[in-house]
Amino acid sequence: MKEQLELLWELQKIDLDLKQIKEERDRFPKEMKKLEEKQNLEKERFQKEKEKLESLEKERRKKERDLLMEQDKIKKAEGKMSEVKTNKEYQALLTEIETIKESAGRIEEEILMVLEEIDETKKHLMKKEKEMKANLEKIEAERKRIEERLAEGERAWKEKMERKDVLSKQIDSSLIKLYNTLKEKRQGIGIVSVKKETCQGCFVHVPPQMFIEVQKTNSLIRCPNCNRILYFEGDGEKG
Ligand SMILES: [Zn+2]
């Protein structure tokens, strides 16, 4: 019986490990998806900043075109000077030229302001790009870590399944059957250790005589409260 219980104890540990691997397997894709979302958000944010720069450049080009048009108007108006016949006409033309020059001056000022904003946006963008790259690297590292753990889990899964197969053949089928039934009913735990006269599955006190019997590991003893098979791990854990 002692050997059978020891084998069953090992099987229980393997089953718990398998359960954990399975939980990670289920959890990791969700974590990966979250990382992907974070990655996209970083890129999107940067893209928005870039779009701001593009619209500023567009504004600059438009204002430069406007300025050229104004300058062209000035040239044309100045060209008319030679055709002027009266003083009134001359005065009117001067006023017109003056107005266009003022407008051109305003556009020039606006261009300078846009250029300044472009400069600042470029600096800001460079800083943001560095930040984005650092963040993307962090996310990538996290993704690699998850992938490695997944691969590790798969390797462990294979190993443990193989050992489980071996154990399942060595343990009496009736004992396996009982274990499986208990495991199903009791949150994946069919065999449980007893420490200090207490079942570690339900934490209910085990009668002293029963505890002594469990320590002998000679017979199949089950917790009077949760029905699980009791096991004594030994090694300084007496009493
Ligand atoms: Zn119990």
Side-chain angles (χ1 to χ4, degrees):
M1 198 65 207
K2 190 172 164 44
E3 198 204 324
Q4 284 287 300
L5 288 174
E6 276 166 4
L7 292 173
L8 191 63
W9 184 243
E10 193 190 339
L11 180 64
Q12 174 72 78
K13 279 184 180 168
I14 286 174
D15 278 341
L16 286 174
D17 287 344
L18 289 172
K19 197 179 163 202
Q20 206 196 337
I21 294 170
K22 195 184 169 298
E23 278 166 6
E24 284 195 337
R25 208 188 262 164
D26 293 343
R27 202 177 62 236
F28 282 158
K30 279 177 213 149
E31 282 180 18
M32 286 290 227
K33 204 167 168 253
K34 263 191 211 158
L35 287 178
E36 210 171 285
E37 279 165 12
K38 259 169 111 181
Q39 228 169 7
N40 288 339
L41 202 68
E42 284 287 338
K43 285 178 189 166
E44 253 171 53
R45 265 189 211 141
F46 184 70
Q47 192 53 37
K48 278 212 179 104
E49 303 266 352
K50 242 176 144 178
E51 276 164 20
K52 193 188 162 195
L53 180 67
E54 276 159 22
S55 89
L56 282 171
E57 295 278 13
K58 218 168 150 187
E59 202 184 329
R60 179 182 63 94
R61 284 195 297 272
K62 188 191 170 294
K63 284 190 190 299
E64 278 170 354
R65 277 197 306 273
D66 289 349
L67 182 62
L68 281 176
M69 270 164 67
E70 296 297 282
Q71 283 164 347
D72 201 42
K73 275 189 212 163
I74 293 169
K75 260 184 216 158
K76 273 181 189 155
E78 280 170 349
K80 278 190 220 160
M81 280 293 202
S82 56
E83 296 159 24
V84 162
K85 292 189 178 76
T86 67
N87 189 44
K88 203 181 160 195
E89 276 177 0
Y90 178 75
Q91 284 305 328
L93 198 54
L94 272 187
T95 311
E96 194 193 329
I97 291 170
E98 205 48 50
T99 310
I100 303 169
K101 277 186 176 168
E102 269 170 29
S103 161
R106 271 199 305 276
I107 295 173
E108 270 171 348
E109 268 171 39
E110 282 167 11
I111 290 174
L112 283 178
M113 272 161 69
V114 173
L115 281 175
E116 219 170 278
E117 218 183 325
I118 287 175
D119 236 31
E120 266 169 40
T121 307
K122 272 183 182 166
K123 273 184 209 153
H124 180 70
L125 213 58
M126 264 163 75
K127 202 177 130 217
K128 284 278 151 192
E129 193 168 16
K130 260 187 201 164
E131 274 175 26
M132 177 188 71
K133 274 184 184 160
N135 285 339
L136 287 181
E137 269 168 28
K138 262 188 224 158
I139 293 170
E140 199 48 42
E142 179 69 12
R143 184 208 297 278
K144 273 212 180 103
R145 195 185 63 81
I146 291 177
E147 270 168 3
E148 273 163 22
R149 275 184 59 185
L150 256 180
E152 213 174 274
E154 291 315 306
R155 271 196 301 276
W157 178 274
K158 215 175 145 243
E159 252 172 48
K160 285 177 196 295
M161 282 304 273
E162 276 166 15
R163 181 67 186 148
K164 183 179 167 146
D165 259 11
V166 173
L167 287 171
S168 299
K169 277 170 199 145
Q170 287 173 335
I171 302 168
D172 288 343
S173 61
S174 60
L175 187 58
I176 289 263
K177 213 175 150 193
L178 173 65
Y179 163 76
N180 282 333
T181 309
L182 287 168
K183 201 176 70 165
E184 212 169 290
K185 284 183 189 164
R186 299 274 182 259
Q187 294 89 40
I189 296 172
I191 180 167
V192 75
S193 75
V194 195
K195 282 175 188 167
K196 294 178 181 163
E197 293 184 6
T198 307
C199 165
Q200 296 300 301
C202 65
F203 298 101
V204 164
H205 186 75
V206 171
Q209 189 53 43
M210 189 182 256
F211 185 53
I212 290 166
E213 287 304 312
V214 174
Q215 287 180 65
K216 286 182 189 160
T217 335
N218 286 329
S219 50
L220 184 80
I221 298 165
R222 291 163 66 180
C223 172
N225 181 55
C226 70
N227 269 330
R228 290 182 177 105
I229 300 162
L230 295 177
Y231 184 75
F232 182 68
E233 278 191 284
D235 292 331
E237 286 178 7
K238 280 171 199 149

